[in-house]
Amino acid sequence: MADEAGSIYWYDPNPRAIIPLDTFHLPRSLARTIRRSKFEIRVDTAFRAVMLACAEPASGREVTWISSSIIDSYCELHALGFAHSVESWFDGELVGGLYGVSLGGLFAGESMFSRVTDSSKVALTYLVERLRRNGFCLLDTQFMTDHLKRFGTIEIPREEYQNRLAHALTIWARF
């Protein structure tokens, strides 16, 4: 993350939040939205645009940790194949999505945004299915939010997270 002065640091909360891939909860109303195919889901087609949308001020958050140097760094990771975006499109317009970093069997979700109801939730659901199919074992969300809690997100102690992370890094998974 970056602080208000732009200094970059490693964010290591205790406890740490993860979404267990095997117990992901899909709310019924969201399942209906997905069945209606309201959104077109794309992967890695608008990475920088997703980051810029995530960095926009939001209600209750006027300042973001997503600085211009963070955006440039993550775009380099994207070019190298380590950072990815899952995007929700509606009528040809980017309306929601998320981005994160993949290493081994880990996907570290960094941020998400939504301009249309359920657009980021559909992107998250797609992400979970992709991770399951491709052999990932750890979806890191860093911290708990009410938004993430409804999907089965749990908090685990730092030591348990570090053990899971060490295991995930030994797994070969391809985003």
Side-chain angles (χ1 to χ4, degrees), residues 109-125:
E110 296 295 334
S111 190
M112 58 194 328
F113 81 99
S114 181
R115 293 182 180 138
V116 173
T117 301
D118 290 340
S119 59
S120 65
K121 296 174 195 167
V122 172
L124 176 62
T125 302

Side-chain angles (χ1 to χ4, degrees), residues 97-163:
L98 57 88
Y99 75 95
V101 174
S102 68
L103 290 170
L106 161 73
F107 188 88
E110 296 295 334
S111 190
M112 58 194 328
F113 81 99
S114 181
R115 293 182 180 138
V116 173
T117 301
D118 290 340
S119 59
S120 65
K121 296 174 195 167
V122 172
L124 176 62
T125 302
Y126 184 88
L127 170 69
V128 168
E129 285 306 312
R130 186 180 188 99
L131 297 178
R132 285 175 175 166
R133 275 194 324 268
N134 293 330
F136 285 77
C137 65
L138 183 57
L139 174 51
D140 178 358
T141 66
Q142 299 174 10
F143 52 90
M144 178 73 76
T145 65
D146 289 338
H147 175 73
L148 291 173
K149 191 179 241 181
R150 70 184 67 148
F151 296 103
T153 302
I154 62 171
E155 291 182 319
I156 58 175
R158 180 180 287 135
E159 185 176 340
E160 181 179 345
Y161 174 78
Q162 290 172 348
N163 289 335

Side-chain angles (χ1 to χ4, degrees), residues 11 42 153:
Y11 184 66
R42 300 181 194 170
T153 302

